[in-house]
Amino acid sequence: MTHARIVLWLSVTLRSTRSLRRAHFVEWQPPKPPNPVAMENGTGPCREERPPTAQETTVTEGAAKIVFPSSNEVFYNPVQEFNRDLTCAVITEFARIQLGTKGIQIKVPGEKDLQKVVVDLSEQEEEKVDLKDGENLAPGDQPQIAVVGEICEEGLRVLEGLAASGLRSIRFALEVPGLRCVVANDASARAVDLMRHNVQLNGVAHLVQPNQADARMLMYMHQKPRRGKLEQGWGGPEGLTTQFFPKGLLCVTCTDMAVLAGNSGETCYSKYGAMALKSRACHEMALRIVLHSLDLRANCYQRFVVPLLSISADFYVRVFVRVFTGQAKVKASARVKFSAACGPPVSPECEHCGQRHQLGGPLWAEPIHNLDFVGRVLEAVSTNPGRFHTSERIRGVLSVITEELPDVPLYYTLDQLSSTIHCNTPSLLQLRSALLHAGFRVSLSHACKSAVKTDAPSTALWDIMRCWEKTCPVKRERLSETSPAFRILSVEPRLQANFTIREDANPSSRQRGLKRFQANPEANWGPRPRARPGAKAASEVLERCRLLQNKRKDPPEDRAQRAARLKTFPCKRFKEGTCQRGDQCCYSHSPLPGASADATPTDCPETPPTRTPLDPGPAAGPGVD
């Protein structure tokens, strides 16, 4: 029977491996002469010079104690503790599933009883299997128990391609039972020396194997799985373009959320092969873009992915997927047979607001979670809350995920719907109740606090918003006839909405007051600066970032300053003899010394529209407050 396998890939920012190799870390051993042959194949030391002295900081997280330089020479972000806790929980349940099929039970510290019912996520399909006492055991044998900190010969093999200080790998060895080995790899010699020191400090040298190599070269050398060797993995963070896909569990973190959220569509397409849109549902769209990109790359090598859990948290997305081999399933990833395209599936303009459609994607359209697996992780964390420091948050996020509609991609937000038609915002329970009264399904989303996922068509949803607007009418005279609000509200609703609060409109996670959405954990939180050789302390870098924040922007103007500045420009329409505003015009009606006759400010309208003090002007477009 083959060994169960896990391949873990932790990417700090999905930046190029070349830049990662330039990161410097503290050396714990004197430098040795490099081996040219070893350097060529990527396995030998590529030592880097270190500063003469460096202060050290000790961090305790979970069961691990890590020593790393106080200066910004090694990457560590305490906000990612939730990510690491969740990964330990997911891998534990994956180990329980994989080893349970072999008659091996795992013992997790803090759990009272060993699990006897497991789920076998086989390569062909996912089935539930009940393991009874004595099954697959010879008479008189006792079931094998895998415990934390001990080598399990039939256990999981884990690869962390970009390990840095080795914190995550060491936590695996100290907190996850049923492991055969953990390979902690990094391209920097200082990182590997730091890992060796931390491995010895935590007493896990028998499980964790520090390794120095380019992650892509390391997995290229182990493409063919052989007994006793490292299973093939997946490395190279350059836009997910590598061929090394494991047949096991793949864990991916992406922190370039600005790209995935639509701020740079061309960069997103070059990295992920999809166009991201700037929308309120950008966080779930980011998850689906990453999943589609993983599946697309896997399909090139006759493999496909099955998502187990997909999380949007803080400033990153985190996905856990199974990777299987199967030509038939790979072809099914196209969902339909290849044929001549027909379309477009929509008209050039939106039937409701009259605005042009935006084209994004392609996206992963299937469910992004395996609810059976999520339920197992949730149960394990709930029954053993003292195992992780962030157990309360893990429990809240996973509870919301179990309540999400699995077959409804993306979502609306309350403020998006109300701001489009310029009306007051209904409460979450009122909108959910109206959708339920109308016969539609509705749920929350873990990716956004004000999100509404529903299978209601857009026609029904806008009818509900039209009915809501009648309770607090919008002044039509303030709306431009070409605005989305005017077009939507000019149609009478065919569906009469009922906003009476229903009991089932309030989800269970909300009723129990679970910690579903994380507040900012600390000041200036977010992605940490990239590790650099001889860098300043992280606190100094963050303080400098805070002081320089918005310094490159022009100071804001008040109304008096703006009026005085505009008066320095001549009115173009007055020069032509057609300006009717007189003294109320914000531009000058007489030539001023030093003013160019053709000067017209680019940041102001050529001719300001006539507007009363109470008139807010033309209505904003969809989703604009």
Side-chain angles (χ1 to χ4, degrees):
M1 185 176 294
T2 60
H3 293 283
R5 297 177 291 270
I6 287 183
V7 175
L8 171 72
W9 178 55
L10 171 63
S11 170
V12 176
T13 58
L14 278 185
R15 55 182 178 265
S16 113
T17 304
R18 293 187 296 272
S19 63
L20 287 171
R21 294 184 64 181
R22 291 195 292 268
H24 288 64
F25 301 85
V26 169
E27 271 189 329
W28 294 98
Q29 297 178 1
K32 300 177 181 179
N35 184 343
V37 177
M39 291 178 62
E40 183 177 356
N41 61 28
T43 59
C46 302
R47 297 205 173 264
E48 306 162 6
E49 296 181 359
R50 64 178 176 89
T53 60
Q55 296 180 350
E56 299 174 356
T57 300
T58 301
V59 172
T60 300
E61 183 179 295
K65 180 182 294 185
I66 301 296
V67 175
F68 65 95
S70 298
S71 61
N72 188 35
E73 293 188 350
V74 63
F75 184 84
Y76 171 73
N77 193 346
V79 179
Q80 290 273 16
E81 183 178 4
F82 170 75
N83 187 329
R84 291 183 282 267
D85 286 351
L86 181 63
T87 304
C88 289
V90 169
I91 294 181
T92 298
E93 293 310 306
F94 185 77
R96 198 191 308 272
I97 292 169
Q98 293 294 317
L99 300 185
T101 61
K102 305 176 183 180
I104 303 174
Q105 296 179 336
I106 66 172
K107 184 177 181 181
V108 179
E111 286 187 356
K112 296 180 180 179
D113 300 321
L114 297 178
Q115 299 289 334
K116 294 185 179 181
V117 179
V118 301
V119 179
D120 177 20
L121 300 178
S122 63
E123 296 193 2
Q124 300 299 327
E125 59 182 352
E126 301 172 9
E127 301 175 346
K128 292 186 177 180
V129 179
D130 294 337
L131 294 181
K132 301 180 180 179
D133 293 338
E135 185 177 355
N136 297 330
L137 297 177
D141 290 345
Q142 296 296 327
Q144 184 178 349
I145 306 297
V147 299
V148 169
E150 294 185 4
I151 297 177
C152 179
E153 294 298 335
E154 296 292 324
L156 308 176
R157 290 178 288 183
V158 182
L159 168 63
E160 185 180 7
L162 310 175
S165 64
L167 171 60
R168 194 177 296 247
S169 295
I170 293 173
R171 287 196 59 183
F172 293 158
L174 294 174
E175 301 177 30
V176 179
L179 300 182
R180 180 182 177 186
C181 68
V182 180
V183 177
N185 178 79
D186 203 282
S188 171
R190 295 185 180 179
V192 177
D193 289 336
L194 181 63
M195 278 188 280
R196 291 195 183 102
H197 178 82
N198 287 325
V199 166
Q200 295 294 334
L201 180 65
N202 289 270
V204 291
H206 60 294
L207 274 174
V208 180
Q209 304 171 9
N211 186 78
Q212 180 191 350
D214 186 303
R216 298 167 298 181
M217 183 63 69
L218 174 65
M219 288 175 283
Y220 179 82
M221 295 171 60
H222 298 85
Q223 288 189 78
K224 298 179 180 179
R226 298 177 182 175
R227 187 177 183 85
K229 288 193 175 182
L230 177 68
E231 172 58 82
Q232 63 180 10
W234 182 52
E238 296 183 353
L240 316 181
T241 57
T242 178
Q243 64 176 338
F244 306 111
F245 268 81
K247 293 188 295 183
L249 176 66
L250 182 64
C251 313
V252 180
T253 296
C254 302
T255 62
D256 53 345
M257 287 301 296
V259 173
L260 288 168
N263 286 342
S264 180
E266 297 82 1
T267 304
C268 184
Y269 186 83
S270 65
K271 283 188 174 184
Y272 299 94
M275 182 68 70
L277 298 179
K278 271 191 173 182
S279 70
R280 301 299 175 91
C282 60
H283 294 100
E284 183 176 325
M285 181 176 290
L287 287 171
R288 295 183 178 275
I289 287 177
V290 173
L291 290 173
H292 172 266
S293 186
L294 290 173
D295 189 58
L296 183 64
R297 268 58 179 189
N299 291 167
C300 296
Y301 305 98
Q302 302 303 311
R303 294 182 179 175
F304 61 95
V305 302
V306 176
L308 296 183
L309 177 62
S310 305
I311 295 286
S312 173
D314 299 328
F315 53 85
Y316 59 88
V317 291
R318 177 72 161 165
V319 297
F320 304 86
V321 300
R322 291 291 310 276
V323 183
F324 299 119
T325 300
Q327 189 176 16
K329 287 291 184 70
V330 169
K331 292 181 178 179
S333 294
R335 308 293 179 256
V336 294
K337 290 186 176 181
F338 288 102
S339 59
C342 299
V346 294
S347 60
E349 296 181 352
C350 174
E351 60 177 313
H352 305 290
C353 66
Q355 302 297 305
R356 290 182 299 175
H357 288 290
Q358 287 184 308
L359 183 63
L363 307 176
W364 177 269
E366 295 296 310
I368 61 176
H369 314 288
N370 182 309
L371 294 183
D372 289 337
F373 184 82
V374 174
R376 291 174 57 85
V377 178
L378 175 59
E379 181 182 2
V381 174
S382 300
T383 56
N384 191 9
R387 185 184 178 196
F388 302 115
H389 182 256
T390 61
S391 292
E392 183 181 357
R393 184 183 177 191
I394 294 176
R395 182 187 175 199
V397 172
L398 296 186
S399 296
V400 177
I401 286 176
T402 59
E403 298 168 349
E404 287 184 9
L405 295 178
D407 55 346
V408 177
L410 306 183
Y411 51 79
Y412 302 92
T413 61
L414 292 174
D415 57 333
Q416 172 194 18
L417 295 171
S418 58
S419 65
T420 300
I421 59 176
H422 300 286
C423 71
N424 294 337
T425 304
S427 69
L428 181 65
L429 294 184
Q430 287 175 321
L431 183 59
R432 286 172 58 93
S433 298
L435 289 167
L436 291 173
H437 282 301
F440 301 109
R441 296 179 299 150
V442 62
S443 75
L444 299 178
S445 171
H446 80 279
C448 181
K449 188 175 183 179
S450 61
V452 176
K453 295 176 72 76
T454 179
D455 60 350
S458 57
T459 303
L461 193 63
W462 286 121
D463 277 348
I464 292 176
M465 292 305 299
R466 293 184 184 104
C467 294
W468 172 257
E469 185 269 341
K470 292 182 181 298
T471 63
C472 45
V474 175
K475 294 184 178 181
R476 301 295 198 276
E477 61 272 14
R478 295 187 177 184
L479 302 177
S480 170
E481 294 184 359
T482 59
S483 66
F486 185 88
R487 290 176 178 266
I488 293 174
L489 295 178
S490 62
V491 178
E492 286 297 318
R494 290 177 292 179
L495 183 154
Q496 297 302 318
N498 182 359
F499 295 97
T500 304
I501 302 298
R502 290 179 44 150
E503 184 178 355
D504 56 348
N506 196 12
S508 174
S509 61
R510 193 170 184 266
Q511 294 180 14
R512 290 180 289 166
L514 298 180
K515 190 176 183 179
R516 302 170 299 157
F517 304 99
Q518 172 74 8
N520 292 355
E522 59 184 21
N524 303 313
W525 71 286
R528 290 302 176 94
R530 180 184 304 177
R532 298 182 183 276
K536 299 180 180 179
S539 58
E540 298 180 19
V541 175
L542 292 177
E543 179 63 18
R544 178 174 175 81
C545 292
R546 186 187 67 81
L547 293 176
L548 295 179
Q549 191 172 16
N550 296 326
K551 293 298 183 181
R552 296 180 177 87
K553 297 181 180 179
D554 295 332
E557 292 181 319
D558 57 24
R559 292 185 177 181
Q561 292 174 332
R562 186 172 186 272
R565 180 174 59 85
L566 292 181
K567 281 295 184 180
T568 62
F569 296 95
C571 175
K572 184 177 180 180
R573 291 188 176 273
F574 176 76
K575 291 169 55 179
E576 298 174 355
T578 57
C579 182
Q580 306 296 328
R581 293 186 57 83
D583 294 338
Q584 295 182 355
C585 180
C586 62
Y587 302 111
S588 172
H589 280 189
S590 61
L592 295 177
S596 174
D598 298 329
T600 300
T602 58
D603 58 343
C604 299
E606 180 176 313
T607 302
T610 302
R611 186 178 303 174
T612 62
L614 298 179
D615 187 4
V624 178
D625 296 331

